[in-house]
Amino acid sequence: MSAIDETLQANQAYARSFNLANLPIPPARKLAIVACMDARLTVEQALGLKTGEAHIIRNAGGVVTEDALRSLIISHYLLGTQEFMIINHTDCGMLTFHDEQLKQKLQAATHTTAVIPAAFHSFDDLEQNVREQIQRVQSHPWIPKAIPVRGFIYDVHSGKLNEVKA
Amino acid sequence: MSAIDETLQANQAYARSFNLANLPIPPARKLAIVACMDARLTVEQALGLKTGEAHIIRNAGGVVTEDALRSLIISHYLLGTQEFMIINHTDCGMLTFHDEQLKQKLQAATHTTAVIPAAFHSFDDLEQNVREQIQRVQSHPWIPKAIPVRGFIYDVHSGKLNEVKA
């Protein structure tokens, strides 16, 4: 059975015992999180969040890209979130390559170039990367200065979140 | 206590009983998922996925943006995923506004314009939107044609995933 078909089978069991039919759209804790897509981090579990409580935005690295800013702006203005969290993690794949090297590998593997993505956002220094993501959020003209934006590194070997001070 | 401080308190309990110190980086089920950030969808729970099993990419709408493509390419080429799933959902906030209207609201609220995000990716037709996202993935020159790309609508009132046929 394919991995996707396995998830569909599991979803049938989930739907049979589903009892969250009437959750409101706005996240109950008024919280939005930008985190890495890494399989070893289940954001809701690691942060004690239940279904309905927070917006979870995830991409390779937990990077504040144009798309993450888009999502945060929608989260705040349309759905009322008032605190933003950014989560990177130890042992991240983004620390293991450089953009140009991956681009060359893809061009060689596929014999084609591509205009997007314009960048892969690999990085060398985890703490510095978190600080830069905080700054990208705080410096956006549409993000209100009153919103707390805090950054963290999740330790995949201990399960612990450690705050990165700006 | 702030919402962020509440998550940090919950994380202390999570870390105390943490027993996943040695998960490998590549997702065990070789699966990557692009889903909406909506608080009412806990992707791992709804799909029966355990920590370590899949890459979870999320943004406003579950849209295959440049950033989602970046994440999928990294997921496949660096970390070996072989199946892609796209998940939108009923009652999505992206169905409730139009890009131009939100842009005007933001400009009026902040008295400033912004270059990014260039688009908010609101949409009117949920099924059609899912089909377009599948096509965006399949048409990217760096995504191998052999990778299955399947699209779904999650029903927030029943917990059920329904497949959208291309």
Side-chain angles (χ1 to χ4, degrees):
Chain A
M1 196 186 294
S2 76
I4 293 177
D5 285 326
E6 283 174 4
T7 68
L8 298 182
Q9 201 167 62
N11 176 255
Q12 288 181 6
Y14 179 76
R16 273 195 297 275
S17 61
F18 187 77
N19 61 356
L20 302 168
N22 297 308
L23 288 174
I25 305 190
R29 295 215 204 176
K30 299 184 191 299
L31 175 65
I33 298 166
V34 177
C36 185
M37 69 178 179
D38 195 284
R40 295 165 295 172
L41 169 61
T42 299
V43 176
E44 293 89 335
Q45 267 180 24
L47 276 67
L49 293 166
K50 292 197 294 289
T51 301
E53 294 192 330
H55 280 150
I56 316 283
I57 299 152
R58 301 182 67 175
N59 63 28
V63 179
V64 176
T65 56
E66 173 172 359
D67 194 40
L69 286 166
R70 175 184 73 88
S71 300
L72 288 172
I73 290 165
I74 289 170
S75 175
H76 173 70
Y77 283 95
L78 295 181
L79 294 162
T81 57
Q82 302 292 345
E83 294 179 59
F84 293 164
M85 248 176 132
I86 294 159
I87 305 178
N88 287 192
H89 62 91
T90 60
D91 198 32
C92 186
M94 304 297 286
L95 293 158
T96 66
F97 72 97
H98 289 106
D99 277 31
E100 192 52 39
Q101 160 199 348
L102 177 56
K103 196 173 159 186
Q104 284 171 13
K105 175 180 165 173
L106 292 167
Q107 287 174 350
T110 62
H111 306 290
T112 46
T113 56
V115 176
I116 63 166
F120 285 103
H121 300 297
S122 63
F123 48 83
D124 289 317
D125 182 325
L126 193 53
E127 283 204 23
Q128 183 53 29
N129 191 64
V130 173
R131 282 190 205 98
E132 284 175 18
Q133 308 321 309
I134 296 172
Q135 288 158 11
R136 281 188 200 170
V137 178
Q138 290 178 329
S139 64
H140 195 283
W142 286 344
I143 307 274
K145 303 299 173 213
I147 293 184
V149 184
R150 292 167 61 183
F152 299 86
I153 293 174
Y154 176 77
D155 185 327
V156 296
H157 299 300
S158 71
K160 202 169 176 320
L161 271 180
N162 294 298
E163 186 153 11
V164 176
K165 290 298 179 187
Chain B
M1 196 186 293
S2 75
I4 294 177
D5 284 327
E6 283 174 5
T7 70
L8 299 182
Q9 200 168 63
N11 176 256
Q12 288 181 5
Y14 179 77
R16 273 196 296 275
S17 60
F18 187 77
N19 62 356
L20 302 168
N22 297 309
L23 288 174
I25 305 189
R29 295 215 205 175
K30 301 186 191 298
L31 176 65
I33 298 166
V34 177
C36 185
M37 69 178 179
D38 195 284
R40 293 165 297 172
L41 169 60
T42 299
V43 176
E44 293 88 334
Q45 268 181 24
L47 276 66
L49 294 166
K50 293 197 293 286
T51 301
E53 295 192 328
H55 280 149
I56 317 281
I57 299 152
R58 301 182 67 175
N59 63 28
V63 179
V64 177
T65 55
E66 172 172 0
D67 193 39
L69 286 165
R70 174 183 74 87
S71 300
L72 288 172
I73 290 165
I74 289 170
S75 175
H76 173 69
Y77 282 95
L78 296 181
L79 295 162
T81 56
Q82 302 293 343
E83 293 178 61
F84 294 165
M85 247 176 135
I86 294 159
I87 305 177
N88 287 193
H89 63 90
T90 59
D91 198 33
C92 185
M94 303 298 285
L95 292 157
T96 66
F97 73 96
H98 289 105
D99 277 31
E100 192 52 38
Q101 160 199 348
L102 176 57
K103 197 173 159 186
Q104 284 171 14
K105 176 180 166 174
L106 292 167
Q107 287 175 350
T110 62
H111 305 290
T112 46
T113 57
V115 176
I116 63 164
F120 285 105
H121 300 297
S122 63
F123 48 83
D124 289 316
D125 182 324
L126 193 52
E127 284 204 22
Q128 184 53 30
N129 191 65
V130 172
R131 283 190 204 98
E132 284 175 20
Q133 308 320 309
I134 295 173
Q135 289 158 12
R136 281 188 199 169
V137 177
Q138 289 178 329
S139 64
H140 194 283
W142 287 343
I143 307 275
K145 302 299 173 211
I147 293 184
V149 184
R150 291 166 62 183
F152 300 85
I153 293 173
Y154 176 77
D155 185 327
V156 295
H157 298 301
S158 71
K160 202 169 176 322
L161 271 180
N162 294 299
E163 185 153 12
V164 176
K165 290 298 179 186

